[in-house]
Amino acid sequence: MSRQARIGRDTKETRITMEVDLDRAPGGRIATGLPFFDHMLTAMAFHGGFDLLVDASGDLEVDPHHLVEDCGIVLGTCLEEVFREGGPVRRFGHAVIPMDEALAEATVDVCGRPTLVYRADLPQTHAGSFALWLLREFFGGLSMGARCALHLECRYGENAHHMAEALFKALGKAIASAYASADDEMSTKGTI
Ligand SMILES: [Mn+2]
């Protein structure tokens, strides 16, 4: 069964094409026009061990908020398609990942209900020119698109770049385990 999805989404604000293949090795081109965001998405896919292609452009001159949030929605929608068409998944995924002095935790439940809990007290507002409060918009869009519960916590750290990167690495690993193939539907209700 295919555990791959390709989705295009065009609005007046953004134009995004994304492809996720959970069974292909990472290495796809990730280009959003926001280098730090590319760096985070690359870390997520690489450490999750799946391939992600992103071709995104948008009204960055207005505010990168639209693009970052929409990338979350499209990635989530890709995962939702994998879930619907790729056979049963293990449903829960969890990872705790350090990066130098920072420690971050990600937990995913592919439960059909979107929820985001995001706890990260980042000591700097920006990484390069990237405004780090945008990360919440990405994670919110992701949980919405994937209809999953997503809990992200950076327990501690001193460098916001390290803290964000640890979060994305943990997220990649948690996604990989949550969407790994299972023998049966993992719900006592019999359906998700
Ligand atoms: Mn880095």
Side-chain angles (χ1 to χ4, degrees):
M1 236 178 295
S2 164
R3 302 195 328 120
Q4 179 266 350
R6 183 183 176 84
I7 289 176
R9 183 178 191 268
D10 288 328
T11 70
K12 284 179 185 162
E13 294 165 346
T14 61
R15 191 189 55 76
I16 297 170
T17 305
M18 226 181 256
E19 187 177 321
V20 175
D21 191 328
L22 296 178
D23 297 319
R24 199 166 62 206
R29 183 168 181 269
I30 295 176
T32 65
L34 297 164
F36 179 78
F37 191 40
D38 294 347
H39 178 41
M40 293 299 105
L41 294 174
T42 302
M44 177 189 71
F46 182 83
H47 292 282
F50 56 86
D51 199 23
L52 173 66
L53 282 78
V54 181
D55 179 13
S57 58
D59 55 352
L60 296 179
E61 66 287 353
V62 177
D63 185 339
H65 169 272
H66 298 144
L67 186 79
V68 172
E69 180 178 22
D70 288 356
C71 280
I73 293 171
V74 176
L75 175 60
T77 310
C78 285
L79 292 172
E80 161 70 8
E81 189 174 310
V82 167
F83 169 66
R84 273 187 291 106
E85 296 174 10
V89 301
R90 279 191 212 155
R91 185 177 160 181
F92 297 107
H94 176 249
V96 181
I97 297 287
M99 176 153 185
D100 298 348
E101 87 300 340
L103 188 73
E105 174 174 20
T107 311
V108 174
D109 177 11
V110 186
C111 59
R113 301 180 303 278
T115 309
L116 171 68
V117 177
Y118 177 58
R119 293 183 181 165
D121 205 359
L122 303 179
Q124 293 90 35
T125 58
H126 288 72
S129 60
F130 186 86
L132 290 162
W133 57 81
L134 295 171
L135 295 180
R136 178 189 289 276
E137 307 306 320
F138 172 76
F139 298 134
L142 174 59
S143 66
M144 197 70 77
R147 299 195 300 121
C148 70
L150 176 57
H151 293 247
L152 292 164
E153 180 171 40
C154 191
R155 295 183 187 167
Y156 47 77
E158 289 164 20
N159 176 318
H161 182 132
H162 294 166
M163 294 167 80
E165 194 163 337
L167 277 168
F168 273 88
K169 288 176 178 173
L171 175 60
K173 285 198 167 294
I175 287 174
S177 16
Y179 289 87
S181 295
D183 294 337
D184 292 301
E185 215 63 76
M186 292 288 284
S187 172
T188 51
K189 289 185 284 193
T191 182
I192 291 174

